[in-house]
Amino acid sequence: MRKQGFSRVICLALALFLTLGVLPVKAAAGDEAVDVFKENADGTEKYVTVQLAASGSLSNCTTCAKNLRKAGYNAFLYQEASGTRYRIMVGVFSGRDEAGKLQEEIANGPDIKGFDVKRAYLTNVKLTAEAAKHYANYVYDGQSGVNPTPAPTAAPVWGAPTGNAPTDGAVDVFDEENCDTRVVAVQVAATSSLKEAKRDVVRLREAGYNGYVYHAKGAGNYRVVTGVFKNAVEGEKFATYMQNGPTVPGVKVAKAYATNVVITAAGKETYAEKFFNGGPVLLSPGGSSSTPAGGGDEEDVVVVREEWGLYKGTAVQVASSGSESNCKTCILRLRERGYNAYIYKPQNRDSYRILIGFFENKEDAASLLEEIRSGEEVKGVRMSHAFTVNAWLDEGDRANYSDHIW
């Protein structure tokens, strides 16, 4: 009788689990070493996983993976074959249906420090059978991983999600004869076939770019373009980003360049959003969003490079130096004083700048400038001589450094 009663309790508990579902149980620490698997080196079998973010900084990704573990998810890192980016993953599945359930759970679950859980998406990875077996259990249980050899840190680039591509019929085609709004766009291809142009747009959208087709008056070809930009400078910035970013099968993004097109006013509004279906995901969580209180270590200080930036804003410069090491030392001192400072490397220059904050309008930057100038001096930094400068940041850094408090 006792055995029957105990069995009934177990069955009821199991039924309740399957009916209601549960969030992962939070592990105590999650500070064990984080596994890093390298594409084409650590396995040949293809699996489906849930990606939450990506970055070129191994240190940042490791910190974020540990945050996921503390939230109860068994996270691991996956380095792309190019060696330029690390992807933060949870779960390993043989099919998309099972992975989709985890994606939905994460997206609808509580916030996780350093992540926008709504942007989690499915993607493919190649792993060993041992790794796949270990991470098939996406609930973190406090155990260490399978520990492959970590890959070296590399410069960050953006990557693209596996979004739902539109059909050819859903692709916008702007004919100059019927349009009246001149804008700057980025062109990646041209073809005499409208069908081929639409196909290339579909490929761009699969890669996360908001593409469309443009037909100039009297021209014999159709141009494959993406985005709408305020001016040629911003267009060239985005073209450079595409040239250095991930490849798009069948589209020569390495030859992207800014050009003028004529579209409709509605089209201008639609394609001012450069990315399609959430767009490429890049998490570069420096500052207070990813590092515990205190100055941290020099290895936690990431150099933000101008050529990676897509968004122009205003920051406060407090120092500059030709030595990256000296700048890192100053950054740690500034962080100890509560400033979310970062190193900024202007394009085509040998020196590094130490910046604080990132603002879309100069008034907010001026307010911070006044605060810094009237505050205490920091060793190695002349706070009273601070001034505002322009800076270009990517989406992740823009979000991180808009909060100037460490």
Side-chain angles (χ1 to χ4, degrees):
M1 291 294 292
R2 288 183 178 179
K3 289 184 178 180
Q4 290 179 349
F6 180 78
S7 298
R8 287 173 183 171
V9 171
I10 294 297
C11 290
L12 287 171
L14 180 59
L16 183 62
F17 173 88
L18 294 174
T19 302
L20 300 178
V22 295
L23 290 174
V25 179
K26 289 190 177 181
D31 286 331
E32 293 77 11
V34 176
D35 283 335
V36 182
F37 301 99
K38 188 171 183 179
E39 185 178 9
N40 298 335
D42 292 315
T44 57
E45 295 296 322
K46 184 179 288 188
Y47 300 93
V48 182
T49 184
V50 179
Q51 178 170 329
L52 282 93
S55 172
S57 169
L58 178 58
S59 175
N60 285 344
C61 285
T62 300
T63 299
C64 289
K66 290 180 178 180
N67 286 342
L68 279 169
R69 287 181 172 182
K70 291 174 182 178
Y73 293 105
N74 198 14
F76 63 96
L77 305 183
Y78 189 74
Q79 187 195 25
E80 295 179 350
S82 62
T84 57
R85 191 175 68 134
Y86 300 91
R87 299 155 66 183
I88 305 173
M89 311 292 201
V90 174
V92 174
F93 306 90
S94 57
R96 297 181 70 85
D97 290 343
E98 294 180 33
K101 293 178 182 178
L102 175 59
Q103 175 196 15
E104 185 177 353
E105 174 187 314
I106 293 174
N108 295 324
D111 292 337
I112 301 174
K113 183 179 181 181
F115 296 94
D116 181 356
V117 294
K118 301 296 183 184
R119 299 183 70 176
Y121 63 91
L122 305 187
T123 188
N124 294 323
V125 294
K126 290 182 179 180
L127 299 173
T128 62
E130 179 187 9
K133 181 178 180 181
H134 181 83
Y135 288 100
N137 177 20
Y138 65 85
V139 178
Y140 184 64
D141 57 6
Q143 301 299 314
S144 59
V146 294
N147 297 318
T149 303
T153 305
V157 296
W158 289 53
T162 53
N164 296 319
T167 63
D168 283 359
V171 173
D172 282 331
V173 180
F174 295 99
D175 195 314
E176 184 178 1
E177 290 188 347
N178 302 318
C179 302
D180 57 7
T181 305
R182 181 175 293 274
V183 298
V184 176
V186 172
Q187 180 172 329
V188 296
T191 174
S192 59
S193 168
L194 177 58
K195 183 177 180 180
E196 289 183 6
K198 287 184 175 182
R199 178 202 61 194
D200 287 346
V201 169
V202 170
R203 289 170 174 170
L204 280 175
R205 289 184 174 181
E206 285 178 331
Y209 297 111
N210 204 8
Y212 54 98
V213 176
Y214 172 67
H215 180 245
K217 185 176 181 180
N221 59 14
Y222 296 90
R223 296 154 64 181
V224 180
V225 296
T226 185
V228 166
F229 305 91
K230 295 178 181 178
N231 50 52
V233 174
E234 291 195 9
E236 288 295 347
K237 276 279 185 182
F238 196 76
T240 301
Y241 152 62
M242 293 186 74
Q243 292 166 9
N244 297 320
T247 58
V248 178
V251 181
K252 296 180 179 179
V253 291
K255 295 186 177 182
Y257 62 93
T259 186
N260 290 320
V261 298
V262 181
I263 60 177
T264 62
K268 178 181 179 180
E269 182 177 348
T270 297
Y271 293 99
E273 172 53 58
K274 311 173 193 66
F275 301 119
F276 180 77
N277 196 32
V281 175
L282 172 65
L283 186 64
S284 180
S288 58
S289 63
S290 63
T291 309
D297 299 319
E298 283 194 8
E299 64 180 21
D300 296 325
V301 180
V302 178
V303 178
V304 178
R305 298 184 180 273
E306 181 183 1
E307 57 265 33
W308 299 338
L310 296 177
Y311 302 95
K312 184 178 181 180
T314 304
V316 176
Q317 179 172 327
V318 295
S320 65
S321 172
S323 168
E324 180 180 333
S325 177
N326 288 345
C327 286
K328 287 185 176 181
T329 300
C330 291
I331 291 292
L332 298 184
R333 291 170 180 166
L334 286 164
R335 288 179 175 179
E336 288 175 351
R337 293 293 184 90
Y339 291 107
N340 190 15
Y342 56 100
I343 300 175
Y344 182 76
K345 178 68 168 59
Q347 194 170 11
N348 302 322
R349 294 196 181 183
D350 296 329
S351 61
Y352 300 87
R353 297 175 179 176
I354 299 178
L355 305 184
I356 301 175
F358 185 79
F359 306 94
E360 294 183 0
N361 62 74
K362 294 183 178 180
E363 288 76 14
D364 290 338
S367 177
L368 175 61
L369 175 63
E370 183 179 354
E371 174 189 326
I372 290 174
R373 282 181 172 178
S374 60
E376 295 182 6
E377 293 289 349
V378 177
K379 183 179 179 181
V381 181
R382 303 180 70 181
M383 305 291 278
S384 59
H385 289 70
F387 57 92
T388 58
V389 295
N390 292 328
W392 290 84
L393 301 187
D394 63 39
E395 185 172 311
D397 289 327
R398 180 180 67 162
N400 293 325
Y401 297 116
S402 60
D403 182 0
H404 67 275
I405 299 175
W406 173 256

